[in-house]
Amino acid sequence: MKHRDVFCRLAVAIFSVAAAFSATSTEALAQSGAPPKPVVALTPGTSIYKASLEIDGRIVPLDLARTVKLVKGTWVITEVTTMSSYIAIDSTFLDKKSLVPLRRVMRDPTMSLELRFIGNMASGTITTRGQTRPIYVDMHGALYADGPGAQDAIAALPLARGYNAEFLNFDTETQEVSELQLRVLGSEVVSVPAGRFNTWKVLTTSATGGPGQTAAYWIDKKTRRVVKFATTLLEQNEVVATAELTK
């Protein structure tokens, strides 16, 4: 595979937050319970981030735009990731009240994906290299903070020092479900191109202790916007991605 293709695929995987975690047993997932409940409504608008991807000592700049809209009673959150001439578009549709994912649509030059989440079931299709494959998976629970809506769903939780929660994500590449653990580490003042913010620092990791993705979010206490985030993929030679809000 060409180096450019590797960087493109990693960029999309990392910034969609639903990147690969090691699979957990269905028994453990079935015991995870209902997803956490948000206490803050989402705010329509667009957030622009300046991002970078570091792998094998090479830094690749990325642009990331995330737009939140309320369309016919459903939240639609779309992330557009741009790297040179490469563009990936990833949209998730969330229940207005619970913020549980209802649908997800992804497009990039190498792949297209359409998924629906009804109850505990994920169904749809994925097309790569001109071949379309069906997806039909029992997730043993409802998802939360999955895909491009992850940041906004996390920011809507009752964040406070010591707060923690667990929820499920769906890996679109492996078609496996993973259980994540969220912890609020405390308060932190951070400076990014968009300004200086008093934030909650939130960490998500694999709830089962296996290898996978670790993500940190700095969420402005006043507006509940994610002003900075950083992701480490332990399964990919510690690929590191960071992004800071510019406007």
Side-chain angles (χ1 to χ4, degrees):
M1 181 180 293
K2 296 180 180 179
H3 288 298
R4 182 179 179 279
D5 293 336
V6 173
F7 285 118
C8 290
R9 178 57 59 197
L10 286 172
V12 175
I14 286 173
F15 286 109
S16 66
V17 184
F21 281 80
S22 57
T24 56
S25 71
T26 55
E27 290 183 344
L29 294 173
Q31 297 172 2
S32 64
K37 295 182 179 181
V39 296
V40 178
L42 301 189
T43 302
T46 298
S47 298
I48 306 295
Y49 296 88
K50 207 65 182 171
S52 65
L53 177 69
E54 180 179 356
I55 178 172
D56 295 333
R58 180 179 175 184
I59 304 296
V60 179
L62 302 166
D63 292 313
L64 178 67
R66 189 173 68 256
T67 300
V68 179
K69 293 182 179 180
L70 187 61
V71 180
K72 296 181 179 179
T74 299
W75 289 112
V76 181
I77 302 177
T78 300
E79 284 188 351
V80 179
T81 303
T82 305
M83 181 173 61
S84 185
S85 59
Y86 177 91
I87 299 177
I89 302 174
D90 191 356
S91 297
T92 190
F93 300 72
L94 306 181
D95 179 84
K96 182 180 179 181
K97 184 177 179 180
S98 69
L99 303 187
V100 168
L102 305 173
R103 183 182 171 210
R104 186 172 180 187
V105 179
M106 297 174 62
R107 298 284 188 276
D108 72 19
T110 64
M111 179 270 291
S112 65
L113 172 91
E114 293 197 16
L115 279 176
R116 289 188 180 275
F117 307 106
I118 301 176
N120 293 345
M121 305 303 298
S123 61
T125 58
I126 182 170
T127 302
T128 56
R129 299 179 180 178
Q131 295 185 341
T132 299
R133 293 177 288 123
I135 297 174
Y136 191 74
V137 178
D138 186 346
M139 303 180 296
H140 298 278
L143 304 180
Y144 192 81
D146 185 77
Q151 296 186 36
D152 298 276
I154 287 172
L157 292 173
L159 304 178
R161 188 180 300 274
Y163 174 79
N164 63 82
E166 292 187 357
F167 50 86
L168 303 181
N169 270 191
F170 182 76
D171 182 357
T172 57
E173 292 191 12
T174 65
Q175 298 178 29
E176 294 173 338
V177 181
S178 300
E179 190 173 4
L180 279 64
Q181 182 179 62
L182 176 150
R183 291 178 291 149
V184 177
L185 302 183
S187 299
E188 187 172 327
V189 176
V190 298
S191 294
V192 297
R196 184 178 173 88
F197 300 91
N198 183 19
T199 70
W200 290 117
K201 184 177 180 180
V202 178
L203 185 71
T204 59
T205 58
S206 169
T208 57
Q213 179 186 9
T214 297
Y217 306 87
W218 287 262
I219 301 169
D220 180 40
K221 292 182 179 181
K222 184 177 180 180
T223 64
R224 293 298 181 109
R225 295 181 78 190
V226 175
V227 299
K228 177 181 177 181
F229 61 94
T231 306
T232 302
L233 272 174
L234 300 179
E235 294 177 337
Q236 298 286 349
N237 298 320
E238 295 193 356
V239 174
V240 178
T242 57
E244 296 183 342
L245 183 71
T246 60
K247 62 179 180 180

